[in-house]
Amino acid sequence: MHEMSIAMAVVGQVEEAAEAGGASTVASVRLQVGELAGVVPDALAFCFELACAGTVLEGAELVTESVAARAHCRSCTGDWAVGMPPRLVCPGCGQATDVELLTGRELQILSVHWEDGAGPDRVRTPAPTREPIPEER
């Protein structure tokens, strides 16, 4: 189950950011998960809970936002919802050779809510220099 390695990567990145930001507790983590990312949300939630044990994220809520898969045909300039299983042949012109996947493979941390030692919850967005969580194939 690759959801455990994803959960551990998320916890590791959030722990690093929380430590650098002086957080004492992480309340929630919001992830963007593409329809084609190959992630089972319930399995990820289960793994996330296990990965958080003994860290500043223990008890944190995982909020996932699904991103529908969409594609674009460069031949006829049509866009369409890819769906599951993925339909990568353009419904407009029938071409499959000049198709670009626009969305649906996302897997990234959008925001983190934590409490630092000095006051109320704050919303933190990971530094833009962080790479998205690598997809496993």
Side-chain angles (χ1 to χ4, degrees), residues 4-87:
M4 180 55 90
S5 61
I6 293 169
M8 291 174 66
V10 168
V11 169
Q13 288 182 19
V14 171
E15 252 189 322
E16 186 180 307
E19 186 178 298
S24 59
T25 305
V26 174
S28 67
V29 176
R30 200 170 107 234
L31 292 182
Q32 186 177 54
V33 180
E35 183 178 26
L36 302 177
V39 175
V40 178
D42 289 342
L44 181 59
F46 176 76
C47 292
F48 180 79
E49 186 176 338
L50 294 175
C52 289
T55 71
V56 294
L57 286 91
E58 189 161 1
E61 175 187 20
L62 177 66
V63 179
T64 56
E65 293 183 7
S66 181
V67 178
R70 295 202 53 80
H72 173 77
C73 178
R74 292 186 195 122
S75 297
C76 74
T77 68
D79 291 354
W80 69 96
V82 172
M84 281 302 285
R87 183 179 46 147

